[in-house]
Amino acid sequence: MKNLLLFVCLFSLGIFFLSCQADNKTGPTASDQAAVKPVAPAGMTKADSIKRGEYLVTTMGCNDCHTPKMMTAQGPAPDFSKLLSGHPASEVLPKMPDKSVIAPGQWMLMSPSLTAFVGPWGTSFPANLTPDATGLGNWTFENFDRAIRTGKHLGAENGRPVLPPMPWQNLVNLSKEDAANMWQYLKSIKPIENKVPNPLPPV
């Protein structure tokens, strides 16, 4: 059991990308940011930008948190029918362990789908990154850029910090051009309706 918990902890800490959590609202409103029409970075066609964005999103590990997993003979694998749709709203979480297990300096745990993360900060849920209204549908590029490169919840200028395990500190040097490519790709994928739960306070 200890080896399993150690694996879960190490896997969690190695997970590499966005877990912006959603509040009751589904995303930034027009009052948060002026609407900005996404355009491909200079010198690239839209198709080139989408291809580059797919490469970045895939290699940077966005699926590690934002795509639900299914168990296979080789262990958990992404369920691509739910690509980047975040923590499933219908998933019932197991009973929380004793508080001493997830106290500061102890363990960080994950749900069976690897889309809910429990630690001293409470329970956090990776966001829906599809272009549905329950995901990024109401976001502007500026919201997205600010969320991933400065760690602001919902990309709001005065937003709270996003919760672990979102590794935004690793993305501060990401170029704005590559952030725009990622945005183009995320806006091109299948919209999936899935309202991710609000984060939960510590037990």
Side-chain angles (χ1 to χ4, degrees), residues 8-9 14 21-22 64 137 155:
V8 168
C9 182
Q21 292 71 34
D64 292 347

Side-chain angles (χ1 to χ4, degrees), residues 68-80 112 114:
K69 312 303 179 297
M70 52 188 177
M71 191 57 67
T72 72
Q74 288 73 43
D79 180 355
F80 289 114
L114 307 186

